Amino acid sequence: MFKKALLALPVAMAVGAAAQAGEWQDPNDVLQQFLQENPDSAYLHQSEMNIMMMPDNPALWLVDEGEELFYAKRGPNNVSLEGCDFGKGPGELDGAYVELPRYFEDTGKVMDFEMRLVHCMKELQGFTSDDAAVGQRHGNGSDIMKLTTFIAHQSSGMAWNPPLDHPQEQAMRDAGEKLFYRRGGAMDFNCASCHGDVGKQIRASVLPHVGTGPEWSKAVSWPAHRAGHDNVRSQNHRIRGCVWQMRHAGIKADTPVNTALISYWNDQARGEPAILPDLKR
Amino acid sequence: MFKKNAVAAGMAAFASVALTAGCAVADGSKGSDVDITAMSADELAEHLIFETDSFRDQEMQEGGDWRDRMTQDDLQKACSMKGDPDGETAGQVVAMARASYEAPESIELGDWRKGAELADSGYGYRQGHRTDDHGQREPGGNCYNCHVFDPRVSDQGTIGPSLQNYGANRGTSEAVLRYVHEVISNPHQYFPCTQMPRFNSDRHQLLSDEQISHIMAYLLDPESPVNNQ
């Protein structure tokens, strides 16, 4: 299957070869390149143990399971997800993940990855929110995280490139920027309170800086095995965690505020290769 | 409020677009027919927060609901820019913060041991998938998240300056006590648009007077480990 072909690619590639925007690269190769090119980034270099563990990233275990789920006929309608269009055409997964969120004609709105996946599982396969298949969003055991990891992996090493051609895409990205800098909640935080400077720490966590491309590319590279949680986590899970720490109100999954934030944060990593899946603290 | 107008404008714009072009526009919320491209980025951000069902409908620990929590006061609005405030904004923010500060009659230092616990504790005011229950545990100050007080105790953050030997270097004169009380209550009086939260301001009181007196003791009491390094 094409996943196998992809895994064989990095062997053929000379290590250290300059990353081309459209080329698949092994997540560990992308990380190594970031580390070499940014020797002074405290964020990138913060955990020697995680760097060592990266070739055996436990998140990679979910890739095979996700692939099986993707091609299996499932749900009340008994169809696979091959009919799902993530923006590059039905079933076309190469590079799809790094070019989200995007505007979809069929729904008339901008959707982020998870929103789109859930949309397809409901519309094509016939699942409802009550089914664990879409209801359960978090953890290695969830279908959503397995599918997310498999699909995202098909874009590893490719440059973040969320489209901004449609006026709604630009509008959501710009609103996301406003949300990023909007002070609010019980403690007056915005996202930049903790991600607006280089090399700062919240307790033991070194914080990624939104204005430093390679740091931010790794920062938004979810799915990632989060060592502290011993589970693979998503972009949505990270947003939920940061919004919780910020003492804003509790954010819900599949909502436009999420999508706008992701539109902005993926845009801030534009041009940098994605590490998919990544491994984090 | 401009938010309402924005939505109204969006609705009007949608009606005309739908009539002329028959083009589908939506902002992502179910059943919503709002043209998001007709709004400014600020208007759309407010619209997304308040009109798209993106937040859980929960009671906030300080009272009120999620809308109250997410509604900005003047200081938050003034500080929502990228980077540092310009001179004019900084001046306005300092004036706002000073105008709303109420100095206590007298300031006493409390118990530095309790202050150390409060400076360490990150409990309180979190909402959502797990909501902090202030009936179970009192909220803390989160100070270690951003400041080093005493590197011997635990991992401490670096978003703010190190406060090691803070009292040893400054003493405990009335002026110092007043300054520290002002900074903890509303730091924008000295540092306009700082990342540090307001712990006792006209928006709300996150730390009680007693809690603040304990934390101040941790910073200033000559016996406190902060001042013996």
Side-chain angles (χ1 to χ4, degrees):
Chain A
M1 284 247 25
F2 77 103
K3 173 199 53 120
K4 299 264 159 53
L6 285 174
L7 288 175
L9 258 175
V11 181
M13 263 171 35
V15 178
Q20 309 272 296
E23 231 168 55
W24 190 93
Q25 298 179 76
D26 182 87
N28 186 43
D29 290 346
V30 184
L31 176 67
Q32 290 304 326
Q33 181 188 317
F34 278 163
L35 293 171
Q36 274 169 32
E37 289 170 6
N38 303 277
D40 299 327
S41 166
Y43 171 68
L44 292 172
H45 289 271
Q46 71 175 308
S47 170
E48 220 168 287
M49 202 166 77
N50 285 353
I51 293 169
M52 267 167 50
M53 231 163 83
M54 187 64 182
D56 302 314
N57 185 354
L60 291 168
W61 303 340
L62 269 66
V63 171
D64 287 351
E65 291 178 78
E67 182 178 19
E68 261 168 50
L69 283 176
F70 187 85
Y71 292 104
K73 293 189 168 54
R74 301 177 72 225
N77 300 343
N78 199 37
V79 292
S80 79
L81 282 170
E82 283 164 287
C84 184
D85 182 357
F86 286 93
K88 303 224 143 208
E92 288 298 327
L93 301 182
D94 282 19
Y97 191 84
V98 289
E99 294 187 21
L100 287 165
R102 71 160 67 226
Y103 175 82
F104 289 92
E105 286 290 341
D106 55 3
T107 56
K109 66 178 183 183
V110 176
M111 301 172 92
D112 58 64
F113 170 77
E114 192 169 310
M115 216 181 222
R116 188 67 185 171
L117 175 61
V118 166
H119 169 81
C120 287
M121 292 174 79
K122 287 182 175 172
E123 298 299 316
L124 294 178
Q125 297 184 308
F127 287 115
T128 71
S129 301
D130 295 334
D131 294 315
V134 298
Q136 198 190 332
R137 295 300 174 87
H138 305 303
N140 285 4
S142 68
D143 292 352
I144 293 279
M145 288 316 301
K146 291 173 187 170
L147 285 161
T148 301
T149 310
F150 164 64
I151 296 167
H153 189 52
Q154 313 310 313
S155 297
S156 187
M158 298 181 195
W160 293 103
N161 187 24
L164 293 175
D165 305 325
H166 193 280
Q168 284 201 37
E169 290 165 349
Q170 186 70 49
M172 288 297 269
R173 180 253 170 241
D174 292 351
E177 178 170 19
K178 292 293 175 189
L179 292 171
F180 196 92
Y181 290 99
R182 186 182 187 277
R183 303 283 296 251
M187 294 196 174
D188 308 325
F189 289 132
N190 61 14
C191 305
S193 300
C194 297
H195 301 293
D197 281 310
V198 187
K200 296 283 184 183
Q201 257 172 261
I202 283 264
R203 300 207 182 222
S205 304
V206 183
L207 297 159
H209 174 222
V210 66
T212 305
E215 286 195 0
W216 200 248
S217 178
K218 177 166 162 60
V220 302
S221 285
W222 303 90
H225 172 80
R226 200 163 160 196
H229 292 191
D230 198 17
N231 266 292
V232 177
R233 298 303 192 193
S234 63
Q235 288 197 332
N236 288 277
H237 187 273
R238 184 65 251 180
I239 288 186
R240 190 182 80 170
C242 282
V243 170
W244 182 75
Q245 281 182 68
M246 284 166 87
R247 277 82 175 174
H248 287 200
I251 195 164
K252 294 190 202 167
D254 296 343
T255 53
V257 167
N258 253 308
T259 309
L261 280 169
I262 294 176
S263 293
Y264 178 66
W265 81 1
N266 282 359
D267 180 56
Q268 291 309 103
R270 182 179 298 284
E272 299 289 342
I275 307 173
L276 298 169
D278 190 24
L279 193 159
K280 291 179 165 76
R281 329 181 44 246
Chain B
M1 255 197 56
F2 83 99
K3 184 191 77 206
K4 299 252 166 57
N5 294 338
V7 175
M11 294 295 256
F14 170 72
S16 61
V17 171
L19 280 174
T20 53
C23 154
V25 278
D27 66 347
S29 55
K30 279 202 186 69
S32 156
D33 293 328
V34 177
D35 180 3
I36 65 168
T37 63
M39 299 180 196
S40 72
D42 273 318
E43 287 165 349
L44 179 53
E46 297 302 307
H47 169 78
L48 293 179
I49 291 175
F50 292 107
E51 312 295 342
T52 64
D53 196 23
S54 286
F55 293 96
R56 293 178 193 230
D57 189 7
Q58 292 172 313
E59 290 274 310
M60 300 296 120
Q61 293 91 344
E62 69 276 19
D65 63 11
W66 70 272
R67 284 176 181 275
D68 299 308
R69 176 77 67 97
M70 294 307 289
T71 301
Q72 289 182 305
D73 67 7
D74 290 340
L75 188 139
Q76 291 176 335
K77 265 186 210 155
C79 291
S80 291
M81 82 296 284
K82 198 171 183 168
D84 295 326
D86 58 30
E88 197 190 332
T89 308
Q92 284 165 356
V93 167
V94 169
M96 241 184 262
R98 286 209 185 129
S100 68
Y101 176 74
E102 282 172 47
E105 300 256 303
S106 66
I107 304 171
E108 308 273 318
L109 293 184
D111 176 347
W112 67 259
R113 285 175 192 82
K114 288 186 182 150
E117 278 168 32
L118 287 164
D120 185 13
S121 168
Y123 195 79
Y125 297 99
R126 290 170 300 197
Q127 282 285 339
H129 53 296
R130 272 181 293 146
T131 297
D132 290 336
D133 178 357
H134 293 188
Q136 295 290 313
R137 195 176 152 194
E138 68 171 338
N142 281 283
C143 318
Y144 282 11
N145 279 353
C146 296
H147 296 286
V148 174
F149 287 72
D150 178 356
R152 296 166 297 191
V153 205
S154 73
D155 289 315
Q156 299 171 354
T158 59
I159 290 180
S162 166
L163 302 174
Q164 267 178 274
N165 288 316
Y166 195 82
N169 294 335
R170 285 170 182 76
T172 52
S173 68
E174 180 71 13
V176 168
L177 294 189
R178 291 210 167 276
Y179 168 74
V180 175
H181 190 274
E182 284 162 8
V183 169
I184 295 174
S185 301
N186 189 342
H188 300 269
Q189 296 178 86
Y190 295 93
F191 310 104
C193 299
T194 177
Q195 271 91 305
M196 179 162 157
R198 292 168 286 175
F199 287 100
N200 182 7
S201 71
D202 51 332
R203 185 166 169 90
H204 39 230
Q205 181 157 13
L206 301 182
L207 292 172
S208 69
D209 296 339
E210 192 194 331
Q211 286 179 311
I212 291 178
S213 77
H214 295 321
I215 295 175
M216 286 182 61
Y218 183 48
L219 267 177
L220 296 172
D221 192 321
E223 299 291 307
S224 160
V226 170
N227 298 316
N228 291 285
Q229 303 186 45

